[in-house]
Amino acid sequence: MIKPLGGTHAVRRLFRAYRERCAYTAHTWHPYGGGGEQLPKEHARLDQVAARVNEGNLTQAESPQSRRSRIFTALRWAVPNTIPVLTGYLFLGLTYGVLMTTHGFPFWLPIVTALVIYTGSMEFLLVGILSSSFNPLSAFLTAVVVGARHLFYGIAMLGKYRNMGWKKAYLIYTTSDETFSVNYSAHIPQDQHVDRGWFYLWVSFLDQMYWVIGSAVGGLFGSLITVDVRGLDFVMTAMFMVIFLQQWFQDGTSPRRILPDHVCELIGVLGSLAALLVFGPDRFMIPAMVIILAALLAIRRPWERRDKNTEEKR
């Protein structure tokens, strides 16, 4: 009987050796080219293990050395992917910590909110919410509107975060804009034996730590800053403008294809402007989100049919 094996690498090696000395037919595996006999239970179990290895869902018992190797291999591949997030989060977190302390809040508050809330845009808005009169309904609606985009992040990551076990809760909690972008678009090399779950976990953990460290530095040293900090809260607006422009240039720059290449961006801009003109600057956020969501749902099916026809023509 085949016992639990010591890690993914051992399973792969054993399965490859087994395949080399077995002949495949349309119905079963036959050891040494034999035919007609029923597949032994040991061979059936080996096939199940191999299928789980190929799917990346191996949960067999493994040695501590193999587990450590798997974890640190994923870390080694995750760190380079998070360097752009590091540069942005340290500065933004520093700005947030400074903004909190210059508004009279204790140095530890930006650290706690960075750990517990971990929503950059909402944390910047939190400075104004905590500084104004107590209005829990307004704070709740603001948080829902600002975080509504995470609904789409969750839908997009359903397949990638499947079968993550205990890691899944933390992965969901730490899905920020930048973490979603890295985990969704990352190419995880299978030939380097990089564990998918640990890669996603390291990216999420490192990104959050970058934000916490930046907020801690800003909170600790923000009280020492004597310069005028008015306008620092515009940094999030500037960041979203950069993300918007990056997406615009990534989708295409041809003037003749503005509508087909940038329909989503145009819907966002025009929907926001319409809500701003109708509802005013203090109440346009929720109507803008509703308009944008309704417009995107309306064009979804026609857009999918167009993409399908384009692929068939190719």
Side-chain angles (χ1 to χ4, degrees):
M1 181 68 69
I2 297 176
K3 302 299 182 183
L5 300 169
T8 302
H9 306 331
V11 176
R12 290 186 186 276
R13 287 196 300 270
L14 180 59
F15 181 64
R16 281 199 297 269
Y18 176 66
R19 283 190 72 173
E20 288 173 359
R21 63 185 179 85
C22 292
Y24 179 79
T25 68
H27 302 288
T28 184
W29 286 91
H30 300 291
Y32 304 100
E37 63 267 21
Q38 185 178 3
L39 186 66
K41 291 182 179 179
E42 290 84 355
H43 299 161
R45 184 179 178 200
L46 184 57
D47 287 343
Q48 293 173 0
V49 171
R52 293 170 65 196
V53 170
N54 291 332
E55 293 172 1
N57 301 327
L58 183 66
T59 58
Q60 297 278 341
E62 58 182 342
S63 65
Q65 294 82 1
S66 177
R67 179 181 175 83
R68 282 196 296 270
S69 175
R70 212 157 42 86
I71 293 173
F72 285 106
T73 299
L75 174 61
R76 190 169 65 251
W77 280 91
V79 169
N81 285 275
T82 62
I83 295 302
V85 182
L86 166 65
T87 58
Y89 271 16
L90 285 181
F91 176 74
L92 289 173
L94 176 66
T95 305
Y96 169 64
V98 171
L99 196 64
M100 287 287 281
T101 54
T102 53
H103 277 73
F105 297 105
F107 73 92
W108 51 263
L109 189 58
I111 303 174
V112 172
T113 55
L115 285 168
V116 177
I117 299 176
Y118 187 47
T119 305
S121 52
M122 188 61 209
E123 288 176 63
F124 275 92
L125 293 174
L126 185 66
V127 178
I129 292 174
L130 294 177
S131 301
S132 59
S133 58
F134 182 66
N135 190 341
L137 179 60
S138 176
F140 173 76
L141 292 177
T142 302
V144 170
V145 170
V146 172
R149 65 189 186 281
H150 289 267
L151 174 65
F152 302 100
Y153 295 167
I155 294 173
M157 297 301 290
L158 278 175
K160 293 181 179 294
Y161 286 172
R162 184 177 290 117
N163 301 320
M164 289 291 107
W166 61 268
K167 304 181 187 73
K168 189 172 185 178
Y170 183 74
L171 293 174
I172 294 172
Y173 170 68
T174 52
T175 300
S176 63
D177 299 318
E178 292 76 15
T179 301
F180 165 77
S181 178
V182 173
N183 281 342
Y184 185 80
S185 59
H187 173 67
I188 304 175
Q190 297 297 325
D191 57 339
Q192 299 292 330
H193 308 297
V194 180
D195 185 276
R196 186 167 53 93
W198 278 106
F199 176 87
Y200 291 149
L201 186 72
W202 278 122
V203 169
S204 303
F205 175 77
L206 289 171
D207 286 353
Q208 186 180 22
M209 289 304 101
Y210 299 154
W211 181 260
V212 172
I213 292 170
S215 302
V217 172
L220 290 170
F221 298 102
S223 58
L224 305 177
I225 297 177
T226 58
V227 299
D228 189 358
V229 294
R230 286 180 297 179
L232 274 180
D233 50 353
F234 186 74
V235 68
M236 285 302 296
T237 305
M239 187 190 75
F240 282 119
M241 283 298 300
V242 171
I243 294 174
F244 174 82
L245 291 174
Q246 183 181 10
Q247 185 65 45
W248 183 281
F249 289 121
Q250 182 178 336
D251 289 344
T253 56
S254 174
R256 297 180 180 180
R257 293 186 54 82
I258 289 181
L259 183 59
D261 288 346
H262 304 289
V263 62
C264 294
E265 293 97 323
L266 292 173
I267 286 175
V269 171
L270 296 177
S272 300
L273 287 175
L276 178 64
L277 292 173
V278 174
F279 298 97
D282 296 328
R283 298 181 178 86
F284 83 100
M285 187 67 74
I286 294 178
M289 293 292 292
V290 172
I291 292 171
I292 293 170
L293 180 61
L296 291 175
L297 291 175
I299 68 166
R300 178 185 173 185
R301 291 190 180 277
W303 213 253
E304 288 177 348
R305 285 196 297 267
R306 193 207 68 161
D307 290 343
K308 185 177 179 180
N309 293 335
T310 303
E311 291 177 1
E312 289 176 352
K313 290 179 181 178
R314 292 178 181 174

